């Protein structure tokens, strides 16, 4: 089973300069191979595969001697990642590869010759770098990806393989449905509500002040570079706070339940709405569901997504009747068929739980407790036929 551990690096000024050189070399090799592959495809209709990209590296080192300052295997890993990006593009699993910029996040991958100690890590052509290993590195080290964010901080993502298989998924246990929102980040079918901290909104005043200072600085000056780093650090703090909050909630939900059902939301489409884009991005719905999915898989628990067109909010969880309209301003409503008063979010979470259990029951023998394992198909009472003749029966 593969697992990745992200640790913080504290290189010296000389080591940071050496890492920056290697990052630049790997970026240049990526852009060079991408440009050549695009030109060949436009002229001949065929691009470059990994072998054609890799055999060009020795000639490039002879032509550009500064490429020798980078680790040879790191450059090979760069073109290998580009080849994989092309494979994903032609398989319609990703977009066309883009040119890498020297601004923003940078990364380089070391496939071999990396050693890890208690408080330091050895990187080729860099040496022993001080780091903070906050957890044990278990298993065989496969790759180490060193990255630098916009703040200038260095991190190392260590991918390891412990040789064990992923645990088998079991649905014997408690099932829970989760409805995400903006008023509350997550509402469960048990009635628990997790607040939405709104990290970006809380930091807007600080960001606004620092961004105004940045806009007054002269382009290319040291003051502008320093102000840009302050803005990047403010955004980094917001990102870390959001991730920490989502990790805690997802860990709790996965630990306490065996089946986790969520709604397959079109987050990209919601982000196109200028009224909801900022709040949706601040909540981090996509990141939250991603955390739930991978943590459930590692724990051997079931994770299921309901269809995005499933009317979870408009459906009564008691009788199954569906309302015609349910605007976002309505937070509580009463079913006209059975008279049950519903909290909008809790009712939606219960419906998501039942729908998730139904999806699992359609392809599994066992059923999860907490919901109807094989619920009867619900029908809207308004659409049922009414008997008007003697002897006729309702459908």
């Amino acid at each position: 089973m593969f697992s990745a551990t992200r640790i913080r690096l504290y290189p010296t000024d000389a080591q940071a300069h050496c890492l920056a050189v290697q990052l630049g070399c790997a970026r240049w090799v990526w852009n060079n191979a991408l440009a050549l592959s695009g030109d060949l495809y436009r002229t001949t209709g065929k691009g470059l595969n990994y072998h054609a990209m890799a055999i060009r590296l020795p000639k490039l080192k002879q032509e550009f001697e500064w490429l020798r300052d980078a680790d040879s295997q790191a450059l090979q890993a760069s073109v290998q990642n580009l080849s994989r990006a092309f494979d994903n593009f032609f398989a319609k699993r990703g977009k066309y590869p883009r040119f890498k910029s020297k601004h923003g996040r940078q990364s380089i991958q070391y496939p071999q010759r990396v050693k890890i100690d208690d408080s330091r890590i050895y990187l080729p052509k860099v040496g022993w770098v001080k780091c903070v290993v906050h957890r044990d590195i278990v298993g065989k080290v496969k790759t180490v990806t060193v990255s630098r964010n916009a703040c200038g901080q260095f991190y190392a993502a260590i991918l390891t393989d412990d040789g064990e298989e992923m645990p088998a998924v079991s649905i014997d246990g408690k099932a829970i449905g989760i409805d995400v929102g903006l008023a509350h980040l997550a509402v469960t079918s048990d009635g628990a509500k997790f607040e939405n901290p709104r990290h970006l909104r809380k930091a807007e005043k600080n960001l606004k002040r620092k961004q105004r200072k940045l806009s007054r600085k002269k382009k290319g000056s040291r003051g502008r570079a320093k102000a840009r780093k302050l803005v990047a650090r403010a955004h980094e703090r917001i990102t870390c706070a959001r991730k920490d909050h989502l990790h805690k909630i997802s860990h709790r939900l996965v630990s306490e339940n065996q089946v986790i059902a969520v709604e397959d939301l079109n987050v990209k489409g919601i982000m196109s709405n200028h009224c909801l884009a900022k709040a949706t991005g601040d909540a981090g719905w996509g990141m939250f569901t991603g955390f739930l999915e991978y943590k459930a898989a590692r724990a051997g628990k079931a994770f299921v997504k309901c269809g995005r067109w499933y009317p979870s909010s408009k459906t009564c969880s008691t009788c199954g009747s569906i309302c015609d309209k349910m605007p976002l301003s309505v937070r509580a409503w009463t079913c006209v068929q059975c008279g049950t008063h519903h909290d909008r979010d809790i009712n939606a979470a219960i419906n998501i739980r039942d729908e998730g259990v139904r999806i699992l029951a359609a392809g599994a023998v066992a059923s999860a407790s907490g919901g109807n394992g094989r619920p009867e198909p619900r029908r809207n009472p308004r659409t049922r036929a009414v008997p008007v003749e003697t002897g006729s029966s309702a459908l």
Side-chain angles (χ1 to χ4, degrees):
M1 184 169 60
F2 290 96
S3 61
T5 305
R6 188 167 179 258
I7 62 176
R8 175 75 181 275
L9 304 182
Y10 295 92
T12 62
D13 293 340
Q15 291 174 340
H17 175 73
C18 185
L19 285 172
V21 170
Q22 297 204 54
L23 290 171
C25 293
R27 182 180 66 250
W28 187 89
V29 167
W30 170 289
N31 292 339
N32 180 269
L34 178 58
L36 181 60
S37 181
D39 294 339
L40 287 177
Y41 186 80
R42 283 188 289 269
T43 56
T44 64
K46 295 182 179 180
L48 292 176
N49 56 15
Y50 167 69
H51 179 71
M53 295 179 186
I55 61 176
R56 294 180 61 251
L57 292 178
K59 298 180 181 179
L60 290 176
K61 288 184 178 180
Q62 294 178 359
E63 184 178 359
F64 305 97
E65 295 184 356
W66 45 268
L67 285 176
R68 299 178 182 177
D69 296 335
D71 182 58
S72 60
Q73 292 190 353
L75 298 182
Q76 293 175 6
S78 180
V79 295
Q80 187 177 13
N81 292 335
L82 177 60
S83 177
R84 189 179 296 111
F86 273 116
D87 293 340
N88 293 334
F89 168 71
F90 288 113
K92 297 183 179 180
R93 294 190 299 264
K95 296 183 179 180
Y96 188 82
R98 297 185 299 177
F99 290 98
K100 291 188 176 182
S101 172
K102 66 179 180 180
H103 304 289
R105 184 182 180 274
Q106 309 287 320
S107 65
I108 188 173
Q109 189 178 86
Y110 296 98
Q112 288 179 344
R113 304 198 309 275
V114 177
K115 304 175 184 178
I116 303 173
D117 205 346
D118 294 336
S119 60
R120 58 179 186 168
I121 182 173
Y122 177 81
L123 302 175
K125 292 204 173 185
V126 180
W128 289 98
V129 181
K130 182 182 177 181
C131 64
V132 176
V133 183
H134 58 280
R135 63 180 61 181
D136 295 335
I137 307 298
V138 180
K140 181 181 179 181
V141 177
K142 307 296 288 185
T143 61
V144 175
T145 303
V146 177
S147 61
R148 183 186 63 186
N149 58 17
C151 306
Q153 300 170 344
F154 288 90
Y155 292 89
I158 305 170
L159 179 65
T160 59
D161 183 12
D162 56 8
E164 299 180 359
E165 298 292 336
M166 290 287 289
V169 177
S170 173
I171 61 175
D172 292 330
K174 182 181 178 182
I176 193 171
I178 303 173
D179 179 65
V180 297
L182 297 178
H184 294 87
L185 177 63
V187 179
T188 67
S189 55
D190 295 340
K193 296 185 177 182
F194 298 91
E195 295 295 331
N196 183 12
R198 294 181 172 85
H199 301 284
L200 181 61
R201 179 180 295 182
K202 293 179 181 178
E204 276 184 341
K205 187 175 181 180
N206 181 36
L207 278 173
K208 186 177 181 180
R209 182 177 65 254
K210 291 182 178 179
Q211 287 171 343
R212 280 181 173 177
K213 291 182 179 180
L214 174 62
S215 65
R216 299 191 192 105
K217 304 298 181 182
K218 183 179 179 180
K219 292 186 178 181
S221 63
R222 291 185 177 181
R224 183 177 178 85
K226 190 180 296 185
R228 182 202 59 79
K229 187 171 292 188
L230 292 176
V231 174
R233 286 180 180 176
H235 281 288
E236 185 69 14
R237 284 194 292 268
I238 297 172
T239 303
C240 292
R242 182 184 297 114
K243 285 184 178 180
D244 179 72
H245 183 66
L246 296 179
H247 271 301
K248 291 177 179 177
I249 297 178
S250 59
H251 175 73
R252 175 180 171 181
L253 293 174
V254 172
S255 300
E256 296 177 352
N257 303 279
Q258 189 66 27
V259 176
I260 298 97
V262 299
E263 191 174 6
D264 185 17
L265 294 175
N266 183 15
V267 180
K268 185 177 180 180
I270 298 176
M271 291 289 289
S272 62
N273 185 348
H274 69 279
C275 297
L276 301 174
K278 190 174 183 180
T280 303
D282 191 15
W285 292 344
M287 185 184 299
F288 179 56
T289 55
F291 288 170
L292 288 172
E293 185 172 6
Y294 91 81
K295 290 180 181 180
R298 293 180 64 87
K301 301 185 178 182
F303 177 83
V304 59
K305 286 185 177 181
C306 302
R308 63 182 57 177
W309 302 113
Y310 176 67
S312 58
S313 298
K314 299 191 299 182
T315 304
C316 175
S317 59
T318 302
C319 65
S321 61
I322 302 176
C323 297
D324 295 334
K325 294 182 180 180
M326 185 66 63
L328 291 175
S329 58
V330 178
R331 309 313 305 172
W333 58 283
T334 302
C335 179
V336 297
Q337 298 295 327
C338 63
T340 305
H341 186 72
H342 295 291
D343 181 279
R344 177 195 180 100
D345 299 328
I346 298 178
N347 175 73
I350 294 174
N351 289 326
I352 292 173
R353 180 200 63 189
D354 294 343
E355 179 68 9
V357 173
R358 185 194 65 79
I359 294 173
L360 289 176
V365 178
S367 62
S369 62
N372 297 323
R374 297 182 182 271
E376 295 294 331
R378 294 177 176 176
R379 296 180 179 179
N380 190 343
R382 298 180 181 179
T383 61
R384 296 178 181 176
V386 179
V388 293
E389 298 180 2
T390 305
S392 63
S393 58
L395 299 178

mmCIF file of all heavy atoms in Angstrom, residues 207-219 221 223-225 227-228 231:
data_model
loop_
_atom_site.group_PDB
_atom_site.id
_atom_site.type_symbol
_atom_site.label_atom_id
_atom_site.label_comp_id
_atom_site.label_asym_id
_atom_site.label_seq_id
_atom_site.Cartn_x
_atom_site.Cartn_y
_atom_site.Cartn_z
ATOM 1 N N LEU A 207 -5.474 40.569 4.212
ATOM 2 C CA LEU A 207 -5.077 40.420 2.819
ATOM 3 C C LEU A 207 -5.238 41.724 2.041
ATOM 4 O O LEU A 207 -4.376 42.078 1.223
ATOM 5 C CB LEU A 207 -5.920 39.324 2.158
ATOM 6 C CG LEU A 207 -5.477 37.883 2.377
ATOM 7 C CD1 LEU A 207 -6.509 36.928 1.801
ATOM 8 C CD2 LEU A 207 -4.128 37.628 1.746
ATOM 9 N N LYS A 208 -6.314 42.414 2.294
ATOM 10 C CA LYS A 208 -6.571 43.665 1.581
ATOM 11 C C LYS A 208 -5.471 44.683 1.867
ATOM 12 O O LYS A 208 -4.987 45.365 0.954
ATOM 13 C CB LYS A 208 -7.934 44.215 2.004
ATOM 14 C CG LYS A 208 -8.372 45.441 1.233
ATOM 15 C CD LYS A 208 -9.770 45.867 1.671
ATOM 16 C CE LYS A 208 -10.236 47.073 0.888
ATOM 17 N NZ LYS A 208 -11.603 47.489 1.313
ATOM 18 N N ARG A 209 -5.046 44.764 3.110
ATOM 19 C CA ARG A 209 -4.000 45.717 3.470
ATOM 20 C C ARG A 209 -2.666 45.354 2.810
ATOM 21 O O ARG A 209 -1.971 46.222 2.262
ATOM 22 C CB ARG A 209 -3.840 45.748 4.992
ATOM 23 C CG ARG A 209 -2.800 46.747 5.482
ATOM 24 C CD ARG A 209 -2.732 46.793 6.989
ATOM 25 N NE ARG A 209 -2.258 45.536 7.550
ATOM 26 C CZ ARG A 209 -3.028 44.659 8.174
ATOM 27 N NH1 ARG A 209 -4.326 44.890 8.312
ATOM 28 N NH2 ARG A 209 -2.522 43.539 8.660
ATOM 29 N N LYS A 210 -2.327 44.078 2.819
ATOM 30 C CA LYS A 210 -1.046 43.660 2.245
ATOM 31 C C LYS A 210 -1.060 43.725 0.718
ATOM 32 O O LYS A 210 -0.028 44.040 0.102
ATOM 33 C CB LYS A 210 -0.720 42.248 2.706
ATOM 34 C CG LYS A 210 -0.402 42.170 4.195
ATOM 35 C CD LYS A 210 -0.028 40.775 4.635
ATOM 36 C CE LYS A 210 0.335 40.763 6.117
ATOM 37 N NZ LYS A 210 0.698 39.424 6.616
ATOM 38 N N GLN A 211 -2.182 43.451 0.109
ATOM 39 C CA GLN A 211 -2.255 43.539 -1.344
ATOM 40 C C GLN A 211 -2.208 44.983 -1.824
ATOM 41 O O GLN A 211 -1.674 45.268 -2.908
ATOM 42 C CB GLN A 211 -3.536 42.850 -1.829
ATOM 43 C CG GLN A 211 -3.477 41.333 -1.728
ATOM 44 C CD GLN A 211 -4.805 40.681 -2.003
ATOM 45 O OE1 GLN A 211 -5.853 41.324 -1.969
ATOM 46 N NE2 GLN A 211 -4.788 39.370 -2.233
ATOM 47 N N ARG A 212 -2.732 45.894 -1.045
ATOM 48 C CA ARG A 212 -2.619 47.312 -1.399
ATOM 49 C C ARG A 212 -1.164 47.775 -1.324
ATOM 50 O O ARG A 212 -0.691 48.532 -2.179
ATOM 51 C CB ARG A 212 -3.484 48.152 -0.459
ATOM 52 C CG ARG A 212 -4.959 48.158 -0.823
ATOM 53 C CD ARG A 212 -5.747 49.029 0.128
ATOM 54 N NE ARG A 212 -7.128 49.184 -0.305
ATOM 55 C CZ ARG A 212 -8.055 49.851 0.375
ATOM 56 N NH1 ARG A 212 -7.743 50.397 1.550
ATOM 57 N NH2 ARG A 212 -9.285 49.957 -0.088
ATOM 58 N N LYS A 213 -0.454 47.309 -0.301
ATOM 59 C CA LYS A 213 0.960 47.649 -0.208
ATOM 60 C C LYS A 213 1.737 47.077 -1.379
ATOM 61 O O LYS A 213 2.660 47.714 -1.900
ATOM 62 C CB LYS A 213 1.526 47.133 1.113
ATOM 63 C CG LYS A 213 1.015 47.865 2.346
ATOM 64 C CD LYS A 213 1.676 47.328 3.608
ATOM 65 C CE LYS A 213 1.177 48.078 4.841
ATOM 66 N NZ LYS A 213 1.808 47.560 6.093
ATOM 67 N N LEU A 214 1.382 45.874 -1.788
ATOM 68 C CA LEU A 214 2.062 45.259 -2.918
ATOM 69 C C LEU A 214 1.812 46.035 -4.203
ATOM 70 O O LEU A 214 2.732 46.198 -5.028
ATOM 71 C CB LEU A 214 1.579 43.814 -3.081
ATOM 72 C CG LEU A 214 2.072 43.047 -4.308
ATOM 73 C CD1 LEU A 214 3.590 42.907 -4.281
ATOM 74 C CD2 LEU A 214 1.418 41.676 -4.391
ATOM 75 N N SER A 215 0.599 46.534 -4.398
ATOM 76 C CA SER A 215 0.277 47.254 -5.627
ATOM 77 C C SER A 215 1.023 48.575 -5.740
ATOM 78 O O SER A 215 1.203 49.097 -6.848
ATOM 79 C CB SER A 215 -1.229 47.509 -5.699
ATOM 80 O OG SER A 215 -1.645 48.377 -4.643
ATOM 81 N N ARG A 216 1.493 49.132 -4.623
ATOM 82 C CA ARG A 216 2.214 50.409 -4.652
ATOM 83 C C ARG A 216 3.704 50.245 -4.927
ATOM 84 O O ARG A 216 4.389 51.227 -5.210
ATOM 85 C CB ARG A 216 2.040 51.132 -3.313
ATOM 86 C CG ARG A 216 0.598 51.464 -2.960
ATOM 87 C CD ARG A 216 0.543 52.399 -1.769
ATOM 88 N NE ARG A 216 -0.822 52.504 -1.254
ATOM 89 C CZ ARG A 216 -1.254 51.916 -0.143
ATOM 90 N NH1 ARG A 216 -0.420 51.166 0.576
ATOM 91 N NH2 ARG A 216 -2.487 52.067 0.275
ATOM 92 N N LYS A 217 4.201 49.026 -4.815
ATOM 93 C CA LYS A 217 5.633 48.803 -4.997
ATOM 94 C C LYS A 217 5.995 48.826 -6.483
ATOM 95 O O LYS A 217 5.208 48.445 -7.347
ATOM 96 C CB LYS A 217 6.052 47.459 -4.393
ATOM 97 C CG LYS A 217 5.705 47.308 -2.917
ATOM 98 C CD LYS A 217 6.416 48.327 -2.051
ATOM 99 C CE LYS A 217 6.063 48.128 -0.588
ATOM 100 N NZ LYS A 217 6.700 49.136 0.288
ATOM 101 N N LYS A 218 7.207 49.254 -6.733
ATOM 102 C CA LYS A 218 7.708 49.315 -8.105
ATOM 103 C C LYS A 218 8.046 47.913 -8.589
ATOM 104 O O LYS A 218 8.683 47.133 -7.883
ATOM 105 C CB LYS A 218 8.940 50.208 -8.174
ATOM 106 C CG LYS A 218 9.487 50.400 -9.575
ATOM 107 C CD LYS A 218 10.696 51.322 -9.568
ATOM 108 C CE LYS A 218 11.258 51.493 -10.978
ATOM 109 N NZ LYS A 218 12.450 52.391 -10.982
ATOM 110 N N LYS A 219 7.636 47.603 -9.805
ATOM 111 C CA LYS A 219 7.890 46.277 -10.350
ATOM 112 C C LYS A 219 9.384 46.045 -10.539
ATOM 113 O O LYS A 219 10.093 46.911 -11.059
ATOM 114 C CB LYS A 219 7.160 46.101 -11.677
ATOM 115 C CG LYS A 219 5.653 46.051 -11.544
ATOM 116 C CD LYS A 219 4.990 45.731 -12.863
ATOM 117 C CE LYS A 219 3.481 45.626 -12.703
ATOM 118 N NZ LYS A 219 2.812 45.293 -13.993
ATOM 119 N N SER A 221 11.478 45.649 -8.030
ATOM 120 C CA SER A 221 12.231 46.125 -6.881
ATOM 121 C C SER A 221 12.258 45.074 -5.773
ATOM 122 O O SER A 221 11.457 44.129 -5.769
ATOM 123 C CB SER A 221 11.620 47.427 -6.351
ATOM 124 O OG SER A 221 10.293 47.207 -5.889
ATOM 125 N N GLY A 223 11.562 45.712 -2.691
ATOM 126 C CA GLY A 223 10.383 45.932 -1.860
ATOM 127 C C GLY A 223 9.162 45.195 -2.383
ATOM 128 O O GLY A 223 8.359 44.680 -1.602
ATOM 129 N N ARG A 224 9.033 45.127 -3.717
ATOM 130 C CA ARG A 224 7.896 44.399 -4.270
ATOM 131 C C ARG A 224 8.039 42.902 -4.025
ATOM 132 O O ARG A 224 7.047 42.217 -3.722
ATOM 133 C CB ARG A 224 7.785 44.674 -5.775
ATOM 134 C CG ARG A 224 6.569 44.012 -6.409
ATOM 135 C CD ARG A 224 6.456 44.354 -7.878
ATOM 136 N NE ARG A 224 5.311 43.685 -8.489
ATOM 137 C CZ ARG A 224 4.064 44.141 -8.477
ATOM 138 N NH1 ARG A 224 3.802 45.300 -7.871
ATOM 139 N NH2 ARG A 224 3.089 43.492 -9.054
ATOM 140 N N ALA A 225 9.260 42.387 -4.141
ATOM 141 C CA ALA A 225 9.471 40.962 -3.878
ATOM 142 C C ALA A 225 9.165 40.623 -2.426
ATOM 143 O O ALA A 225 8.582 39.581 -2.124
ATOM 144 C CB ALA A 225 10.907 40.583 -4.229
ATOM 145 N N ALA A 227 7.086 42.352 -0.438
ATOM 146 C CA ALA A 227 5.636 42.479 -0.243
ATOM 147 C C ALA A 227 4.886 41.302 -0.853
ATOM 148 O O ALA A 227 3.880 40.836 -0.308
ATOM 149 C CB ALA A 227 5.142 43.787 -0.841
ATOM 150 N N ARG A 228 5.385 40.816 -1.992
ATOM 151 C CA ARG A 228 4.739 39.657 -2.615
ATOM 152 C C ARG A 228 4.848 38.440 -1.716
ATOM 153 O O ARG A 228 3.902 37.642 -1.604
ATOM 154 C CB ARG A 228 5.407 39.370 -3.960
ATOM 155 C CG ARG A 228 4.775 38.216 -4.719
ATOM 156 C CD ARG A 228 5.735 37.641 -5.721
ATOM 157 N NE ARG A 228 6.947 37.154 -5.081
ATOM 158 C CZ ARG A 228 7.036 35.996 -4.443
ATOM 159 N NH1 ARG A 228 5.982 35.201 -4.324
ATOM 160 N NH2 ARG A 228 8.173 35.627 -3.885
ATOM 161 N N VAL A 231 2.214 38.599 1.045
ATOM 162 C CA VAL A 231 0.891 38.211 0.568
ATOM 163 C C VAL A 231 0.801 36.694 0.406
ATOM 164 O O VAL A 231 -0.201 36.064 0.761
ATOM 165 C CB VAL A 231 0.575 38.919 -0.763
ATOM 166 C CG1 VAL A 231 -0.742 38.410 -1.344
ATOM 167 C CG2 VAL A 231 0.502 40.424 -0.560
#
